[in-house]
Each structure stands twice: as structure tokens, then as C-alpha cells.
Amino acid sequence: MSSTVERIILAGFGGQGILFLGKVIAETGMNSDKHVSWIPSYGPEMRGGTANCSVIISEHEIASPMVTVPDVVIAMNTPSVSKFNQKIKAGGMLMYNSSLIERQEFRDDIRLVEIPANEIAEELGDQKVASLVMAGAYIKFSKLITLDDILKTLPLMLKGKKQEMLDLNIVALKKGYDYVEEKKYMFGRYVHSVFKGI
Amino acid sequence: MAKVLMKGNEALGEAAILAGCRYYFGYPITPQSELPAYLAKRLPQVDGVFVQAESEVSAINMVYGAASAGARVMTSSSSPGISLKQEGISYIAGAELPCLIVNVMRGGPGLGNINPSQSDYWQATRGGGHGDYRTLVMAPNSVQEMADFTLAAFEYADRFRNPVLMLSDGVLGQMMEPVVMPAPKDYDMDSKKWSLGYTGKDKTARNLCTSIFMGQEELEEHNWSLYQKYQVITDFFKANKDLAVEEYLCDDAEVVLVGYGIISRILKTVVEKCRKRGIKAGLVRPKVLWPFPSDVFAKLADKASKFLVVEMSYGQMVEDVKLAVEGKKPVYFFGRTGGAVPSDFEILNEVDKIVRPD
């Protein structure tokens, strides 16, 4: 991940909160004075039950908002890995939901980060916040947005919802963030590490 | 005003309200449905009227009625639905009524699919309906422009008493970007002396808005006056080049890339990549598709050595570029269809092919 632009594809099946997760990241970027874009899949593929969206956060004006070669793919289910694994930039990162995706030989030139998002969410009592767990994990790696930024944005996005729901989302975020910190990301081989210091 | 993260379709809807539009008539179709959905929620809050008509034909004729009454009014649809509206658009153009028609393009012909596309360029710029008429066609390339162009569109529509067509596509409609909403415009329904709704003191007889001119002479006179109006619109955009076209790094460009809408954003990335590789590339992006900014291309044809037009079709706007370049320089084309948005890599490859032919 460069320190001036992050191109992300988020994918999963409908109901996993993929589009919302993308919005949280984009909105956080915007509130941190970054340039952002968010493009959802809305085509026939969506009708087949899978959802994905492309998000860019950038220090500079975004010319093309299309993400062809993502720096990061956040995959919530197995079909998402098959669909986007090959597209990730060499040296990029595949962050996947290991509760639903089996560990396998992915690629040896990318960083692999496994997050048992559903298990963590289940411990918190609600599977629905699995996407927020992923958001927290992502933030740990991001060079452009911080945990503080997202904690400021989330209440704005969940305005009108119950306080318990906001609290739960925040806990989920922090769990994801802490999980990455605790694991220190020993797992996975990669060629040129762009994630020094983690 | 603060930045808001919004979908293109929604930003356009909010901007229409800021422009004083209080009437929307339409029928749902992907990928523009967020626009009527947004206005269905917002218009009642500002004492406006939202009607989901029983068909696109019905909706465009409601627009015809409201525009005759002097209201700022709009409709929107996506490609197949815009085809259905063409009869009404022709009548509105014939009766010289201002309105905004939004086309969030999807793939065709026929039912096609719901993916992004740019295959309605001909329909938009050549009339689409019957008769000797023109619609002013605008092509935004960001969510911000979806909003800004909407305010401008209502102004142009009133100024020229002509329908304005906003040619967008599935990506622009669906994507979210930060947008700063433009300042609202005051709109007075009583400002149009020709309208049926005009109630000014100087009003003596009932106004009539019609496209029926039964006699040969009166219709020819009407056609002539329309033609002259289209010349005025053309001259206006020639004199205000910045409103019609964006040029990027064209001064020393050897290869000029040409695209509108979402494609122009990708081309900007391609230009930057070309420059890094030592290829002198530039970009021309028409913001207004009719009247086409031909003179910009005519001038560039004397400087640049090659043109590459990129579209999400198998080549429609490329014909206008060729007409403008008048055979002085080769005009190449690259297009994708079916919902494929060409990547910067694909386009870069095309640039390589024309710059370094083997």
C-alpha cells in the first residue's frame, strides 16, 4: 500500500454488509480530508447473491475511480477470493474472513491476513457486525485513515439508530483492530513487503 | 457547505430541487432508480410533486404539460425508457419548452442489460425522436458534476426554451463521491411570459404552447426559427469554451485522447501514465455533446498528430471527432460494450499500438 493512495475491493455475499463497510471506509476518508470514491456492483451479479464495491482513498484528486488492480481485497466469502485473488497488485494484500474461507495456497506475492470475522462477531452476539470487525482490521494497515478517524465517522453514519447498535459496532471495530495487533501477522509469505513496521 | 458522500443519482436529485424544480414524473428502471426514489422522498418535503407514472410515455407527456405551465420540471430514465420518451421529447422540442431529461445509460440495443454503457450518444445528439430538432446534451463525469450540471441544465433550458438532456451512465449514477451542493437558485414560475401559467399584469390573451403548424409556410417558418435558435446555442458554447469542453495537457500533446463521462476520468489516468512513459498525451473531454465542440478539435488537428477516441460503444462520438478533424490527422477508436468499462491498462495498450506501430 502506498502512502498516498489505497485502492480497495470489498466482496462478499448479500447481507454481509459489504456495501456498508465500503461506505464506512469511504466516508471516513472523506471526513479526514482525503479524496474518495465508492462504486458498488449493481449488475446481474448482485442478483446472484454476491456483492462487491470498489473504494479509493487518496491524497490526490482521483482521476479514474475504477479499481482494476486493487492494493487490497477484503473478502468475506470463498467466491470473492476466487473472483478477485488474481487481480491484487503484487505486494498487495488479501484480507479474508477465515471463518468462512479455508486457508489455502493463495499467491506468494501478496500479503495474506486472516481474520475470523464471523467468530469474533458471534462472540459479540451479532453476526452482522462481522464487516465492522474487518473494517477495524483494515484500519490497522491503512496509511491514510486511522482508528480515531473511523470512530468519529461511525456515529455520524449511524445517526438515528439505537445507542446499543452504535456501541456494538464500535466494539466490533476495536476487536478487529486488536486482533491484527495481537497476531502481528506472522502468517503468509510475500515478496516485497510494503507493510514494514507492523 | 460541507462535503457529503452521495450517489450520482441522488446528487442530481438534490441539485434539481436546489434549481427550483418541483415536479418530477418518471418510471423506475435500473440504473437510475435512486433518482426517482430520492425525489419521491424529497419533493413532498418542499411542496413539490412526484408522480410515478404508469409508463415512460405518460411521464414525458406530464413533463410536457408542466413545462407548458412554466414549471421547472424533469424526468429521468435509462436507455430503453428514454427510447419510449422520444415522441414526447420531439413534441417538447417542437413546442420549445424547457425541461430536463436524464438518461443514466445502460447497455442496448433492445432490453440489453443494466450495466453501464455509452451507446445512446447518437440517440441523444441526433434527436432520437422525429423531426428537425436538437436537444442540448450535457455529459458530467463526476458526482460533483451530476449536481453542478443539473443547475446549469435548468438555466440553459429556460434561457434557450429547449429540452436539455443529461447523458450519464450506470457508473456515474451508482458511484458515491464527496459532493458540495451548489447554492440554490430562486425560481419564479411567473418569469416565463410565454407560459400558460403566466399571470402577469401585462397578460392580455391566453398563451398557447404547441408543436402543430398545419400550413407549409408556417411550419417552414417555425423550422427556420428553431434552426436559428440552434445556431444561437452553438455560438453560445463556442464563445464559452470552458463550459463546453475540458482540455488536459493538450498544448504539447502528440496523441490526443478523447472521451466523455466516466471514460474521461479513466483517460486522465491514462494520460498521466503516458506522460510517465514519455508519451506526450493529452485529453479532450466534451462536457457538452450537442453542440459538439468541433472547433476545439479543428484547432488541435493542426498541432497533434493522432487522436484516439474511447467510448463504451463500438464508436458513436468518434464520428463527430472525425467530422471536426476533417481528415487532417488519423482518428483511432477503442471501445468496449456490454457493461465492460475499459481499464486504463487496456487503453494504454491501444495508445502504445498507435504511437509505436510495428
Side-chain angles (χ1 to χ4, degrees):
Chain A
M1 243 177 325
S2 94
S3 53
T4 57
V5 59
E6 291 171 16
R7 297 182 190 83
I8 314 155
I9 288 179
L10 308 98
F13 40 64
Q16 280 185 312
I18 282 297
L19 300 185
F20 179 71
L21 171 57
K23 276 186 215 176
V24 170
I25 293 173
E27 193 126 359
T28 302
M30 179 183 78
N31 292 343
S32 321
D33 289 326
K34 304 290 185 284
H35 296 268
V36 297
S37 64
W38 175 95
I39 304 179
S41 60
Y42 69 92
E45 59 206 324
M46 201 171 99
R47 270 70 177 170
T50 65
N52 67 73
C53 61
S54 309
V55 173
I56 301 181
I57 317 175
S58 175
E59 293 279 6
H60 308 290
E61 192 184 313
I62 297 166
S64 170
M66 312 303 294
V67 178
T68 352
V69 182
D71 301 299
V72 182
V73 165
I74 299 179
M76 291 299 280
N77 64 357
T78 308
S80 304
V81 176
S82 351
K83 189 166 179 185
F84 295 110
N85 184 33
Q86 290 308 320
K87 296 188 175 174
I88 303 170
K89 192 176 184 174
M93 173 166 78
L94 171 64
M95 177 177 277
Y96 67 97
N97 177 9
S98 57
S99 307
L100 300 180
I101 302 165
E102 276 180 37
R103 188 183 291 185
Q104 53 195 277
E105 279 291 317
F106 294 102
R107 274 169 59 181
D108 57 9
D109 60 344
I110 54 171
R111 175 93 195 217
L112 296 170
V113 176
E114 53 171 29
I115 310 287
N118 281 71
E119 279 147 88
I120 296 174
E122 205 161 339
E123 278 168 29
L124 299 174
D126 192 347
Q127 291 272 1
K128 276 188 225 149
V129 294
S131 61
L132 269 295
V133 174
M134 289 305 249
Y138 171 72
I139 288 291
K140 183 73 199 157
F141 290 98
S142 174
K143 299 252 173 43
L144 296 174
I145 51 175
T146 65
L147 186 63
D148 272 355
D149 294 335
I150 205 166
L151 289 175
K152 274 182 214 150
T153 291
L154 209 52
L156 303 174
M157 293 186 71
L158 294 174
K159 212 184 269 175
K161 301 267 171 36
K162 283 186 191 141
Q163 185 65 37
E164 299 101 85
M165 192 175 161
L166 175 61
D167 294 343
L168 180 65
N169 276 283
I170 289 173
V171 176
L173 253 180
K174 287 182 175 161
K175 283 271 179 191
Y177 188 88
D178 292 343
Y179 185 85
V180 174
E181 193 153 74
E182 283 157 22
K183 285 278 165 180
K184 305 270 185 229
Y185 269 86
M186 313 291 280
F187 170 65
R189 289 174 292 151
Y190 50 98
V191 180
H192 17 248
S193 168
V194 283
F195 303 105
K196 279 177 197 148
I198 291 177
Chain B
M1 255 183 98
K3 273 191 254 174
V4 202
L5 194 65
M6 261 182 141
K7 277 196 171 195
N9 284 333
E10 295 168 345
L12 198 155
E14 184 60 31
I17 287 173
L18 295 172
C21 172
R22 290 295 178 272
Y23 299 87
Y24 175 94
F25 308 105
Y27 189 84
I29 180 172
T30 306
Q32 62 85 55
S33 293
E34 293 81 6
L35 174 49
Y38 186 84
L39 287 172
K41 186 179 71 184
R42 282 288 281 128
L43 276 169
Q45 295 169 355
V46 291
D47 291 331
V49 172
F50 173 91
V51 177
Q52 181 178 316
E54 71 272 31
S55 74
E56 286 85 351
V57 179
S58 178
I60 191 70
N61 282 291
M62 292 175 183
V63 170
Y64 188 6
S68 309
R72 280 200 162 164
V73 55
M74 69 175 290
T75 185
S76 66
S77 192
S78 179
S79 310
I82 294 290
S83 293
L84 285 167
K85 290 182 196 289
Q86 291 302 332
E87 182 196 46
I89 296 173
S90 169
Y91 276 60
I92 290 169
E96 293 193 77
L97 297 172
C99 67
L100 173 63
I101 301 145
V102 179
N103 182 1
V104 183
M105 285 185 280
R106 54 185 258 178
L111 203 55
N113 67 24
I114 63 177
N115 293 327
S117 163
Q118 293 184 324
S119 50
D120 303 347
Y121 178 90
W122 282 334
Q123 184 197 54
T125 58
R126 272 23 179 203
H130 62 281
D132 209 352
Y133 79 93
R134 290 290 195 179
T135 47
L136 203 166
V137 184
M138 303 181 76
N141 81 351
S142 65
V143 175
Q144 184 65 53
E145 285 192 352
M146 290 285 266
D148 294 344
F149 283 20
T150 297
L151 264 87
F154 278 107
E155 296 292 315
Y156 295 147
D158 282 355
R159 177 182 182 141
F160 301 118
R161 277 187 65 182
N162 208 67
V164 175
L165 204 147
M166 188 81 75
L167 201 61
S168 166
D169 66 75
V171 177
L172 287 168
Q174 295 293 325
M175 78 185 284
M176 291 206 294
E177 282 184 319
V179 53
V180 180
M181 274 298 152
K185 296 252 170 147
D186 284 331
Y187 176 67
D188 177 9
M189 242 182 96
D190 233 7
S191 60
K192 292 169 178 164
K193 291 199 170 179
W194 51 262
S195 78
L196 308 189
Y198 181 64
T199 56
K201 284 195 185 113
D202 55 337
K203 183 170 174 170
T204 51
R206 291 293 295 270
N207 284 326
L208 180 65
C209 294
T210 182
S211 66
I212 305 174
F213 298 90
M214 289 302 282
Q216 175 267 319
E217 281 172 9
E218 57 170 344
L219 181 56
E220 186 161 40
E221 194 184 319
H222 179 57
N223 286 144
W224 178 245
S225 113
L226 286 177
Y227 170 76
Q228 284 181 312
K229 180 174 79 175
Y230 302 145
Q231 287 305 120
V232 168
I233 301 175
T234 306
D235 291 343
F236 171 81
F237 284 106
K238 248 187 214 174
N240 295 281
K241 206 178 77 171
D242 292 349
L243 298 175
V245 67
E246 179 190 343
E247 289 178 72
Y248 178 63
L249 303 180
C250 279
D251 285 345
D252 64 338
E254 281 162 19
V255 191
V256 173
L257 306 184
V258 188
Y260 68 95
I262 191 67
I263 291 294
S264 66
R265 299 275 296 270
I266 301 164
L267 292 181
K268 203 165 194 175
T269 296
V270 175
V271 167
E272 281 157 10
K273 288 191 173 171
C274 281
R275 291 271 167 177
K276 275 184 198 156
R277 291 157 152 234
I279 301 169
K280 282 185 180 166
L283 165 68
V284 177
R285 192 265 290 202
K287 298 194 252 188
V288 172
L289 301 176
W290 191 88
F292 193 72
S294 305
D295 47 335
V296 171
F297 290 95
K299 265 183 215 145
L300 280 171
D302 294 330
K303 292 198 291 183
S305 61
K306 282 163 184 163
F307 291 83
L308 173 64
V309 182
V310 182
E311 296 176 66
M312 284 193 283
S313 77
Y314 280 134
Q316 300 194 3
M317 184 177 71
V318 63
E319 293 189 353
D320 279 336
V321 176
K322 282 183 179 170
L323 283 170
V325 169
E326 289 185 323
K328 284 184 203 158
K329 296 289 159 60
V331 177
Y332 299 86
F333 177 78
F334 179 67
R336 293 293 306 270
T337 62
V341 182
S343 72
D344 45 351
F345 300 98
E346 275 176 279
I347 301 168
L348 201 55
N349 197 28
E350 291 302 309
V351 176
D352 265 343
K353 272 193 228 164
I354 66 167
V355 173
R356 305 191 180 99
D358 36 31

